[in-house]
Amino acid sequence: MDAEKKLIYKFDEGKADMRNLLGGKGANLAEMVNLGLPVPPGFVITTEACLDYYDLGERMPPGLWEDIEDHMHGLEADVGRGFGDLENPLLVSVRSGARFSMPGMMDTILNLGINDKIVDGLAKLMDNQRAALDAYRRFLQIFGNVAMGVSSSTFEKLLEGRKNQAGVQLDHDLSVDHLLGLVEDFKKAIVDNSGKEFPSDPWEQLRQAVLSVFESWHNPRAMEYRNYRGIPHNLGTAVNIMTMVFGNTGKESGTGVLFTRNPSTGEKHVYGEYLANAQGEDVVAGVRTPEPVSEMATVHPVVYKRLTDLAHMLETHYRDVQDMEFTVEQGRLYLLQTRSAQRTVGAAVRVAV
């Protein structure tokens, strides 16, 4: 790797004006860390690394993998858990992050670093076998789709089949036994549809995930979105690797999205959605009906007060309406993203005034 070119930045090494290099998501995560906000530890692989990947004929730039390994070991030291450790496992999310916001166009993988043995250690860490198995089946589903090319509908049909068998309507009502069966269903589906075994080695999972995010820069929906928006195709995407926090560990946990003002009207009050006992893709995928985020004031008043205080702080800091993602893990709040919110023309005028 070119000694002059730094291809990885820890969150606390970046800042908001580095979006060309760190992507919008990574730059804003870095800015939030520098403001002292509760962001899970992590690091960003730069957009230049993605461009180098394509310049080299879709091969990882020399030295990048060793750099990723070094930063993962740093993450292990930061959080006191081991990547691939059977007793005290560290799981991470791997997310895309382009210079310009491209919501839903590129790929995200959650709960990476888990396998048949590690899931038992995660269950002990969470003190919740059901939540650990739920994280495992989610990882198989999203990794199987993003990194191994298995259709999302394949996994959804298997999930619906298990829910019908169990006589339940909601994912989080599946029992430990049903989730164990679903894990096996998903692993078999990956082999049947891709011709390859799911990689149980966490480091191989991570390598494939990083390459998949690079490749998602050129997936058809991302290309079409850039064409529609007039965004150049030669910018590349950053890759954000972040310590997982779990919103699916019971009623004291959850996930949500929040706008610092109503994006339709511009009214000055927080607006958004919250799902208890869920992970981020549940809100986006629409598989469950979320509650208005304001309902948290009744159920989690302390967390809600902290969330709204931070929302106001970020709007003031950026001098713009913010669109935020957050997770609550066992009553503890974490911010996963902030960006300037899209809004209607009427709302934009009202906010400006």
Side-chain angles (χ1 to χ4, degrees), residues 85-98:
D85 191 289
L86 298 183
E87 299 296 325
N88 191 25
L90 165 66
L91 270 60
V92 296
S93 63
V94 181
R95 300 170 185 261
S96 61

Side-chain angles (χ1 to χ4, degrees), residues 48-328:
E48 288 184 349
C50 178
L51 295 175
D52 287 351
Y53 170 78
Y54 283 108
D55 288 344
L56 292 167
E58 300 189 10
R59 291 198 341 277
M60 191 174 281
L64 177 59
W65 179 246
E66 292 75 15
D67 206 1
I68 291 170
E69 289 180 321
D70 287 345
H71 279 80
M72 285 298 295
H73 293 316
L75 208 52
E76 291 174 321
D78 286 345
V79 301
R81 300 203 294 276
F83 189 61
D85 191 289
L86 298 183
E87 299 296 325
N88 191 25
L90 165 66
L91 270 60
V92 296
S93 63
V94 181
R95 300 170 185 261
S96 61
R99 185 187 307 185
F100 299 101
S101 180
M102 296 172 54
M105 295 301 111
M106 294 184 298
D107 292 325
T108 291
I109 296 176
L110 304 180
N111 306 313
L112 188 143
I114 195 168
N115 60 28
D116 288 352
K117 294 180 179 177
I118 290 171
V119 70
D120 294 332
L122 183 65
K124 290 174 186 169
L125 200 63
M126 290 178 158
D127 194 25
N128 188 328
Q129 186 184 10
R130 200 215 150 276
L133 284 165
D134 185 53
Y136 190 16
R137 72 91 186 162
R138 289 169 185 272
F139 172 65
L140 287 165
Q141 183 168 355
I142 200 163
F143 187 88
N145 173 236
V146 169
M148 304 188 75
V150 181
S151 165
S152 294
S153 62
T154 299
F155 297 110
E156 287 300 326
K157 286 174 186 171
L158 291 168
L159 177 58
E160 286 304 313
R162 283 287 171 179
K163 287 195 288 189
N164 290 338
Q165 180 189 22
V168 302
Q169 289 188 315
L170 302 176
D171 299 0
H172 66 256
D173 289 332
L174 287 169
S175 69
V176 165
D177 286 341
H178 289 120
L179 286 168
L180 284 167
L182 196 57
V183 163
E184 294 307 313
D185 293 344
F186 282 4
K187 286 194 292 184
K188 183 175 185 301
I190 289 171
V191 174
D192 290 347
N193 288 274
S194 74
K196 293 179 283 189
E197 294 277 350
F198 153 75
S200 61
D201 176 15
W203 291 100
E204 179 58 21
Q205 294 171 9
L206 182 61
R207 189 188 69 81
Q208 290 189 30
V210 170
L211 296 181
S212 294
V213 172
F214 283 163
E215 286 163 11
S216 73
W217 175 251
H218 278 166
N219 75 33
R221 67 180 185 272
M223 299 275 281
E224 287 175 18
Y225 183 89
R226 289 197 296 275
N227 285 335
Y228 178 72
R229 293 282 183 180
I231 298 171
H233 294 296
N234 63 346
L235 304 178
T237 180
V239 183
N240 300 280
I241 296 177
M242 180 190 282
T243 305
M244 274 300 302
V245 289
F246 298 97
N248 61 326
T249 52
K251 63 183 181 180
E252 293 301 310
S253 304
T255 189
V257 293
L258 177 147
F259 294 86
T260 54
R261 298 180 188 224
N262 188 312
S264 297
T265 66
E267 288 178 85
K268 192 176 179 180
H269 62 80
V270 296
Y271 177 90
E273 298 177 327
Y274 178 75
L275 260 178
N277 196 18
Q279 285 197 327
E281 73 266 31
D282 293 340
V283 177
V284 179
V287 291
R288 287 170 53 195
T289 304
E291 299 284 340
V293 72
S294 56
E295 290 294 310
M296 289 180 68
T298 304
V299 185
H300 302 298
V302 175
V303 175
Y304 183 70
K305 174 69 164 57
R306 171 85 165 136
L307 178 64
T308 52
D309 286 349
L310 293 180
H312 177 69
M313 176 187 174
L314 284 169
E315 183 179 274
T316 303
H317 179 75
Y318 282 101
R319 300 184 178 208
D320 200 359
V321 182
Q322 294 298 291
D323 170 3
M324 302 161 57
E325 292 180 17
F326 65 93
T327 285
V328 181

